[in-house]
Amino acid sequence: MLRGQQVTKRFGGLTALNRVDFAIEPGQIVGLIGPNGSGKTTLFNVITGFYRPEEGRILFDGHDITGARPHIVARMGIGRTFQIVQPFQNMTALENVEIGVLYGQGLSHGSESQARAQELLDLVGLGHQRHTPVRNFTLAEKKRLEIARALSVRPRLLLLDEVFAGLNPGEVKQAIELIFHIRRELGLTLLIVEHVLGALRDTCERVIVLNYGQKIAEGPPEEVFNHPEVIAAYLGSNETH
Amino acid sequence: MLYELVQSTVSGLLIGAAFAVLSVGFSLTWGVTQVLNIAHAAFALLAAYLGYFASSYFQVDPVLVLVVIVPLFFVLGVGIHQVLIKITAQRAHDLALSSMILTFGLAVVMENVMQVLWTPDPRVLKTSYTGKAIFVGPIAIATTHLISFVLAMLTIALLYVFVHHTLTGKAVRAVWQNPTGAALSGVNMGRVTNITYGIAVATAGIGGVVMSLIYTFDPSTDMVWLVYIFLVVILGGVGSVLGALLAGLIIGLTVGISGVFIPLVWVNLVLFLALILLLLLRPSGLLQR
């Protein structure tokens, strides 16, 4: 479904991604982990068109999307959440989601677009707060909205960037349940960036590990988490939970 | 005294609407694209000259010339964005600062071209209704002021409807509130930015014609207008259409009423003292939450 070949991204003298290959098959849940600055978010930005890679190609369902602009990538069916949530602060929850329904799916404005937006809010459990301005939401609510916004372009592939960060253990548990629920309902393929390793152990079938822009391991979570290079990469950074 | 007060309140409000329409486009580009288009007032001045020459050479009413000016300036706005701003945006580290210097340069070039073409002489617009007035009781309303007021209010009303009640306006607001979120929702940033520039410069055109109905102008007047624009945008809040209207009216009233009590040259002093107070008390504008 999504395939990266020799993806390389440099910022001046720093190589943020170094010849990274990856492949995600339809229906999979894949985790993307690595210490801070390892290139996880850069890879997301390259896939979703915020950065153009210097070398390599990104293929989505066989189409070359390397360097396509973000709104084109979104319309093609790749939804994305940001680590720092990106809501429209002065709009209501319903309006926030409706933007993507209108522009990402190309529905015309009317009762149908509002109904679609409402469905997505119901799905993430914010249906009763549709008329609340988003600036009044808590962080956990904003993260739910971020997921609904990502779903609003009707993606087949959803990229989640640290959706669990900043949530308490109870909220993390709810968020995991929500993600599984959404995946079942919509039949999505997921690529998840995460620092909370425990969360990934329970959710992912396969994990890709980046360190200093290079892929150092790939495989089932139990196997990857015991990989000597992965342990070494995480030991210095104090981020293993 | 009471008569003078009422009279200057009325004319102050009429002038205030002109300040609002002159400024609202500047506010919009600043809000949506983080660019301070210093040349905004120079475009307004260009429109004032176009209206002036159409009326003095071809005896066409300057208000009618807007039929040409508005679409022409829309294209001009899109062109400025595509040719100047976009290239700067790709290379600049600080877009707000770089674009401010760039558009300041553009304003200086435009001023000088206008000076070479049309001499530094001050111009006074003469229309068929200049010098005429409508009387409401003892209160005189200059026809030019009334026409400029109607034109200004109409423009602002249309702009408000566009921003708040159309699909494209929704995209404009989305980009303004969160460019990243908008792109992720499938909004084409390039298109929204083009439309914003087109509309902003088109309203500058209307603003220039409206101002020329009230004030004399010469090739350097744009810097005087720019001062009013900054006052309106800071008072009304960046990107807010209603804020610009409210701020324009307040500033018009201040100009009108303080003119009754103090010499006209001191009026700007009052305005800027008020601005300093405002920046201390409500730095993000009157209507911002």
Side-chain angles (χ1 to χ4, degrees):
Chain A
M1 174 168 235
L2 184 75
R3 196 169 295 275
Q5 298 168 342
Q6 299 286 298
V7 177
T8 302
K9 175 70 203 170
R10 297 188 194 92
F11 296 105
L14 179 86
T15 306
L17 291 174
N18 194 358
R19 299 177 175 279
V20 177
D21 285 315
F22 58 91
I24 295 155
E25 303 307 328
Q28 283 187 327
I29 302 185
V30 178
L32 182 61
I33 63 168
N36 265 339
S38 59
K40 306 180 299 285
T41 297
T42 305
L43 185 58
F44 265 26
N45 281 334
V46 168
I47 295 170
T48 49
F50 284 90
Y51 296 151
R52 175 188 281 276
E54 272 76 29
E55 286 163 40
R57 294 205 304 162
I58 314 263
L59 300 169
F60 180 58
D61 281 345
H63 300 284
D64 192 336
I65 58 164
T66 320
R69 285 180 296 161
H71 71 274
I72 303 285
V73 176
R75 288 176 189 178
M76 285 186 73
I78 300 183
R80 178 199 175 162
T81 68
F82 259 78
Q83 188 176 346
I84 298 160
V85 291
Q86 305 283 340
F88 309 118
Q89 293 279 11
N90 291 329
M91 294 188 193
T92 64
L94 192 71
E95 279 183 295
N96 263 266
V97 180
E98 206 190 352
I99 299 270
V101 175
L102 296 169
Y103 283 90
Q105 297 187 21
L107 249 68
S108 54
H109 183 61
S111 51
E112 199 193 340
S113 68
Q114 295 210 335
R116 282 287 303 150
Q118 179 67 49
E119 278 171 33
L120 291 172
L121 284 180
D122 289 339
L123 191 64
V124 299
L126 291 172
H128 58 292
Q129 281 168 295
R130 60 186 173 277
H131 294 311
T132 310
V134 171
R135 61 176 178 280
N136 298 338
F137 276 11
T138 64
L139 179 65
E141 287 167 340
K142 279 183 184 168
K143 294 224 162 191
R144 283 168 178 268
L145 182 79
E146 182 82 356
I147 292 172
R149 213 270 332 282
L151 294 173
S152 68
V153 298
R154 195 183 286 205
R156 281 165 290 138
L157 173 66
L158 183 61
L159 310 185
L160 299 171
D161 194 349
E162 303 216 10
V163 271
F164 308 121
L167 301 183
N168 66 42
E171 289 169 336
V172 169
K173 195 161 168 287
Q174 286 180 347
I176 292 174
E177 280 165 14
L178 174 64
I179 288 166
F180 269 107
H181 176 63
I182 288 167
R183 183 183 171 238
R184 270 198 311 274
E185 289 286 310
L186 304 175
L188 288 173
T189 308
L190 297 176
L191 178 60
I192 306 176
V193 160
E194 200 45 70
H195 261 146
V196 185
L197 295 186
L200 282 191
R201 198 188 298 274
D202 304 333
T203 45
C204 295
E205 303 160 13
R206 192 153 59 85
V207 174
I208 297 170
V209 189
L210 289 179
N211 193 26
Y212 292 112
Q214 280 181 310
K215 187 168 85 174
I216 57 169
E218 182 171 0
E222 329 68 79
E223 211 172 283
V224 164
F225 292 161
N226 294 321
H227 193 290
E229 242 188 291
V230 176
I231 294 168
Y234 266 89
L235 269 180
S237 61
N238 285 329
E239 280 165 353
T240 321
H241 297 290
Chain B
M1 189 67 192
L2 180 67
Y3 165 76
E4 279 172 352
L5 215 57
V6 176
Q7 176 74 57
S8 48
T9 300
V10 171
S11 61
L13 283 175
L14 297 181
I15 292 169
F19 291 163
V21 73
L22 180 69
S23 315
V24 72
F26 180 89
S27 185
L28 206 62
T29 15
W30 188 354
V32 175
T33 67
Q34 317 300 315
V35 166
L36 280 79
N37 181 9
I38 303 296
H40 189 82
F43 285 109
L45 191 59
L46 180 65
Y49 271 105
L50 294 179
Y52 174 83
F53 287 117
S55 70
S56 55
Y57 289 139
F58 306 109
Q59 279 74 49
V60 183
D61 191 280
V63 174
L64 291 180
V65 183
L66 283 176
V67 178
V68 180
I69 288 178
V70 168
L72 182 72
F73 274 47
F74 184 93
V75 175
L76 210 56
V78 174
I80 293 296
H81 172 239
Q82 288 289 342
V83 178
L84 289 178
I85 310 283
K86 226 171 161 176
I87 294 167
T88 314
Q90 279 162 5
R91 303 191 175 176
H93 292 291
D94 181 348
L95 180 61
L97 184 65
S98 309
S99 62
M100 201 157 86
I101 296 167
L102 177 80
T103 53
F104 177 68
L106 180 65
V108 172
V109 170
M110 288 175 71
E111 278 179 22
N112 282 282
V113 170
M114 287 190 272
Q115 184 154 334
V116 169
L117 288 178
W118 301 320
T119 78
D121 299 342
R123 308 283 179 166
V124 183
L125 191 66
K126 283 258 187 316
T127 60
S128 54
Y129 42 84
T130 302
K132 296 194 173 127
I134 294 166
F135 284 89
V136 181
I139 305 298
I141 301 171
T143 314
T144 47
H145 284 44
L146 191 64
I147 287 174
S148 73
F149 179 78
V150 171
L151 210 56
M153 293 304 269
L154 200 65
T155 307
I156 286 173
L158 284 176
L159 194 61
Y160 183 82
V161 170
F162 167 74
V163 171
H164 290 274
H165 296 284
T166 68
L167 191 54
T168 308
K170 212 183 240 288
V172 170
R173 278 185 297 142
V175 172
W176 165 28
Q177 290 174 30
N178 193 330
T180 306
L184 289 176
S185 304
V187 173
N188 183 344
M189 288 268 289
R191 185 172 159 269
V192 167
T193 316
N194 271 339
I195 291 171
T196 305
Y197 273 88
I199 287 177
V201 175
T203 60
I206 300 172
V209 170
V210 162
M211 289 295 280
S212 74
L213 284 167
I214 302 172
Y215 293 105
T216 62
F217 56 94
D218 63 60
S220 63
T221 303
D222 61 323
M223 287 301 158
V224 180
W225 289 357
L226 191 65
V227 170
Y228 287 124
I229 291 175
F230 268 108
L231 280 169
V232 168
V233 176
I234 292 168
L235 184 62
V238 175
S240 167
V241 177
L242 278 188
L245 176 63
L246 193 67
L249 293 179
I250 290 172
I251 291 165
L253 267 181
T254 313
V255 170
I257 292 175
S258 56
V260 177
F261 300 102
I262 55 175
L264 209 59
V265 287
W266 288 82
V267 168
N268 276 349
L269 186 74
V270 173
L271 278 180
F272 281 97
L273 280 178
L275 179 69
I276 290 169
L277 267 181
L278 178 85
L279 283 172
L280 287 174
L281 299 174
R282 295 216 51 150
S284 56
L286 280 182
L287 294 185
Q288 301 293 314
R289 281 167 285 232

